[in-house]
Amino acid sequence: MKPTAPANRRLSILFAVAMVVVLTICVTSNSSEGVNNQARKTAISYSAGQGTATGSSLRTELALTPPMGWNSWNAFKAKIDEQKIRQIADAMVDSGMKDAGYTYLVIDDGWMADSRDSNGNLVGDPNKFPSGMKAIGDYIHSKGLKFGIYEDRGHLTCQQLPGSFKHEQADMNTFASWGVDYIKLDSCFAENNGRLSTEDYTIYRNYITETGRPMVLSISDFGNGAWAWGGEDMAQLWRTSGDIYPWMDSVYYCADTSGGDQSIHPAFNGLWQFAGPGHWNDPDMLQVGNLKNDTENKAHFSLWCILAAPLMAGNDLTAMTEQVRQVLTSPEVIAVNQDVRGIQGYKVYDDGDREVYNKPLADGTTAVLLLNKGEKETDIEVSWDKIGLSGTQLVRDLWMRRSLGEFEDSFTAHNLGKHEHKMIKVGRPGSPLPTPVPMPLEKYTVTRQGETHLSDLYYIWKAGNAPAYNTTYGGDPIWIAGQTFNKGIGCKGKCAVMFKVDGHANRFRAIVAMDKSSKENAKGRFRVYNEDFFANKVLWDSREMTKDSPAKEIDIELKDVQCLMLVFDGKEVLGNWADARVISERD
Ligand code: GAL
């Protein structure tokens, strides 16, 4: 610990004068920006603003802080029944989970009978829920908890039980009549609906509103880009990842879909700018209690708390150890997650193994997570200039719930082993610290008339290999039939990438071909989609191409396309979208 300096001046004062300061945290250069870097380029501009993250256009009083509760899936899969759910409701209260803030008890897939009743209404499985779903809802409410339920927007759920497709209004009315407070709406089989995801979720949103009952809507689409196509207009939370599993690689992967560059261009530094009160990124439910040990459980919980992720416990609460109970109910760590300012924490350092996240809080302090994901024991430091502070600052350990004293310029967590971390709060109460400047619209949407090359826009969603910008995936110039292209998108293997065109583009043009580096028998396919995979609206399809196939020219009309998805599908081979651009004739 270093001696106290007399003046503790926040950098926010400086920001207020200078408006914008650029903090360069760690710089490497790489011309193909989509390719993952070990020590990655992270430049954060801070604004002088004191408000919350971007406002939601779905103005409700629901989920103003990330929803907290318990969901049956991670603990029991489809093996649920009314006795188990009642016991969980009892345990939520008796264990102190309810008092710690966990209010929603969500019954996931497997609750319903395998067919609807004679009126076409959903009914609970008579063997598992003989008293019916309203009765279990009443029991949940009698414990002072809220009732959540699972459905699917396809014709079947993921467990092949009746889905809500073509029963949307009736099902929302049924849920309201059962006293449901929270609906998790999954997406299995939704690709057969013939609708965009935005159309689907708007239908549900409107029917929910018509019931007059406030019900949180949780989009479960395995992270297919709801933040990109406007999930906040329809729902209070949306998945950013595929399913989470009870091991740390999966926990870290899911965290990185929200806090890192697994699902969005690295320049965004995660999805923080798409979250805020009433609209949250959801890296899936908790596996706390299902992981190997206390170190893993705590690292997982701290990550979800700093990411302002929904906290839906997924362990068997009736068999929870005291150690796990203490993790899930840790008050000062939960307070970071539930902070009313609603800023999603963002990375301020990441060298591949060591990560530092920062989450400015409503009271003027800031929460910092220093996490060792690597194999080797290590120290991790955060200097105050990376988190908008300077001078000497108070540091509090949020797990130990005690002050660690005052620190000048920086704090170092020493000897952190694999999966170990420190979760601290830095600073003194005062006016809220500034947040980084969100990515300006013109950097990721079509905002002007005429041509916009897609490689001049940061992609808003991706799955599979990250694309390279203006080169092949291997970093070479894009070359097709004797011509070199300065602009384009280079792909390898499976590579799906979404650009936000916001209905402003009238045409899409590109030339596609397998890269000349491909082996003789290499095969690949290029497809252009309107919106996500569930919308299943293919606008153009190259069919199978080989290295010898002549390049194909794309020139297609776009009508009201909000998000344009380019998909290359090959086996370890390279394919190029040369000169990929949209043309806008509108203002
Ligand atoms: C998956 C979903 C899981 C769980 C499961 C039920 O699609 O991601 O969270 O709900 O379906 O079948």
Side-chain angles (χ1 to χ4, degrees):
M1 205 185 304
K2 294 184 181 167
T4 311
N8 287 338
R9 278 188 301 126
R10 286 222 169 80
L11 281 181
S12 54
I13 298 165
L14 188 64
F15 291 133
V17 180
M19 291 304 283
V20 175
V21 170
V22 176
L23 299 177
T24 303
I25 285 140
C26 147
V27 180
T28 60
S29 68
N30 188 333
S31 58
S32 63
E33 292 189 68
V35 180
N36 277 345
N37 302 322
Q38 263 293 301
R40 75 174 59 92
K41 191 196 222 174
T42 313
I44 300 178
S45 310
Y46 280 92
S47 75
Q50 298 198 347
T52 60
T54 45
S56 169
S57 37
L58 173 68
R59 305 247 173 241
T60 71
E61 294 298 306
L62 291 173
L64 293 180
T65 59
M68 291 176 70
W70 178 89
N71 175 300
S72 53
W73 187 253
N74 286 349
F76 301 129
K77 299 287 181 284
K79 291 191 184 128
I80 43 175
D81 57 45
E82 64 182 42
Q83 201 194 343
K84 263 189 194 162
I85 297 297
R86 279 168 185 255
Q87 285 167 352
I88 290 287
D90 296 346
M92 271 175 91
V93 176
D94 300 343
S95 64
M97 293 278 287
K98 178 180 166 237
D99 287 344
Y102 296 84
T103 49
Y104 293 101
L105 192 165
V106 184
I107 305 179
D108 208 284
D109 206 356
W111 61 264
M112 56 184 80
D114 53 16
S115 57
R116 291 170 178 269
D117 71 10
S118 53
N119 297 320
N121 290 323
L122 288 170
V123 279
D125 182 321
N127 297 316
K128 293 171 163 180
F129 292 92
S131 314
M133 301 314 287
K134 168 127 184 19
I136 195 75
D138 289 347
Y139 188 77
I140 291 168
H141 287 144
S142 77
K143 305 294 290 188
L145 299 166
K146 290 185 171 165
F147 176 25
I149 208 157
Y150 166 103
E151 240 301 2
D152 190 289
R153 63 192 171 109
H155 70 290
L156 293 173
T157 72
C158 298
Q159 296 299 303
Q160 314 234 350
L161 294 166
S164 269
F165 181 53
K166 294 199 174 152
H167 298 271
E168 297 84 1
Q169 185 172 21
D171 291 355
M172 296 309 105
N173 288 339
T174 299
F175 291 158
S177 75
W178 290 346
V180 166
D181 305 296
Y182 179 114
I183 302 167
K184 171 174 170 183
L185 194 58
D186 215 348
S187 300
C188 278
F189 305 101
E191 63 276 15
N192 303 325
N193 289 3
R195 295 180 192 144
L196 299 173
S197 292
T198 40
E199 287 169 349
D200 250 352
Y201 282 108
T202 304
I203 289 170
Y204 286 97
R205 177 77 265 153
N206 291 341
Y207 286 138
I208 288 171
T209 307
E210 275 176 28
T211 68
R213 185 173 177 84
M215 294 190 268
V216 169
L217 182 59
S218 156
I219 291 181
S220 177
D221 71 342
F222 326 122
N224 268 265
W227 61 90
W229 42 253
E232 71 175 71
D233 294 338
M234 297 144 216
Q236 282 76 26
L237 60 156
W238 47 79
R239 285 274 292 276
T240 59
S241 72
D243 286 7
I244 192 167
Y245 295 96
W247 46 85
M248 288 310 278
D249 282 353
S250 173
V251 166
Y252 291 151
Y253 172 79
C254 290
D256 262 345
T257 62
S258 180
D261 58 8
Q262 284 291 354
S263 52
I264 197 164
H265 193 283
F268 283 89
N269 196 24
L271 298 180
W272 70 270
Q273 75 179 70
F274 303 102
H279 54 288
W280 307 103
N281 294 308
D282 173 12
D284 207 4
M285 300 165 301
L286 294 169
Q287 291 286 6
V288 172
N290 304 331
L291 297 167
K292 277 212 236 65
N293 52 42
D294 201 42
T295 304
E296 295 188 358
N297 285 331
K298 281 183 168 162
H300 175 21
F301 196 67
S302 287
L303 260 171
W304 262 235
C305 286
I306 204 110
L307 287 172
L311 298 180
M312 304 303 288
N315 55 322
D316 181 354
L317 300 182
T318 63
M320 169 165 67
T321 64
E322 176 55 19
Q323 215 177 18
V324 169
R325 194 194 73 79
Q326 285 195 15
V327 174
L328 284 168
T329 58
S330 182
E332 295 192 17
V333 183
I334 291 176
V336 170
N337 177 269
Q338 292 293 299
D339 183 70
V340 292
R341 197 174 173 200
I343 307 288
Q344 174 175 324
Y346 47 87
K347 281 184 199 178
V348 295
Y349 183 78
D350 179 0
D351 67 8
D353 284 342
R354 296 176 301 176
E355 293 183 348
V356 180
Y357 292 79
N358 183 43
K359 184 180 193 298
L361 304 172
D363 69 356
T365 63
T366 191
V368 177
L369 167 66
L370 306 106
L371 172 66
N372 179 20
K373 286 179 166 179
E375 298 289 326
K376 284 193 224 125
E377 191 177 280
T378 185
D379 293 351
I380 307 183
E381 182 193 36
V382 58
S383 59
W384 298 160
D385 63 348
K386 303 244 184 344
I387 57 173
L389 291 168
S390 66
T392 300
Q393 299 295 342
L394 271 177
V395 174
R396 186 173 171 83
D397 186 309
L398 298 180
W399 284 106
M400 287 175 4
R401 291 155 70 187
R402 67 172 174 82
S403 172
L404 299 178
E406 292 187 317
F407 290 78
E408 192 180 333
D409 298 333
S410 67
F411 171 83
T412 302
H414 293 285
N415 307 328
L416 294 177
K418 188 179 179 182
H419 306 312
E420 276 185 353
H421 76 283
K422 275 268 177 223
M423 182 81 157
I424 56 173
K425 187 163 159 169
V426 186
R428 293 186 170 79
S431 51
L433 290 166
T435 57
V437 179
M439 181 65 72
L441 272 179
E442 64 271 19
K443 300 263 191 193
Y444 68 99
T445 64
V446 176
T447 52
R448 56 179 184 273
Q449 271 196 303
E451 274 191 357
T452 302
H453 278 90
L454 294 183
S455 52
D456 288 337
L457 300 177
Y458 293 128
Y459 58 82
I460 187 131
W461 174 90
K462 72 105 172 126
N465 292 319
Y469 274 34
N470 302 327
T471 67
T472 69
Y473 186 87
D476 296 319
I478 296 176
W479 183 95
I480 296 177
Q483 195 183 343
T484 301
F485 293 86
N486 295 328
K487 299 266 184 191
I489 305 283
C491 280
K492 179 184 178 189
K494 288 191 185 302
C495 163
V497 55
M498 193 186 278
F499 292 93
K500 197 163 163 66
V501 297
D502 259 352
H504 285 297
N506 305 86
R507 301 203 78 75
F508 171 65
R509 293 192 180 125
I511 297 165
V512 294
M514 303 286 288
D515 190 63
K516 63 179 170 28
S517 67
S518 310
K519 291 194 198 100
E520 283 316 315
N521 53 359
K523 294 185 178 99
R525 184 173 179 179
F526 298 81
R527 267 172 287 187
V528 181
Y529 285 75
N530 179 1
E531 216 198 51
D532 65 6
F533 280 115
F534 293 109
N536 204 13
K537 305 259 186 206
V538 180
L539 302 175
W540 189 87
D541 186 348
S542 72
R543 306 276 167 203
E544 188 174 274
M545 290 177 76
T546 65
K547 189 183 174 186
D548 299 328
S549 307
K552 292 193 178 180
E553 200 169 334
I554 311 174
D555 183 3
I556 53 172
E557 190 182 3
L558 304 179
K559 262 200 199 137
D560 294 327
V561 175
Q562 301 301 316
C563 288
L564 191 68
M565 182 167 68
L566 309 186
V567 179
F568 176 68
D569 218 333
K571 278 207 177 101
E572 289 297 305
V573 291
L574 273 55
N576 299 317
W577 302 82
D579 223 7
R581 62 210 190 276
V582 290
I583 290 94
S584 174
E585 285 151 16
R586 278 172 253 163
D587 285 331

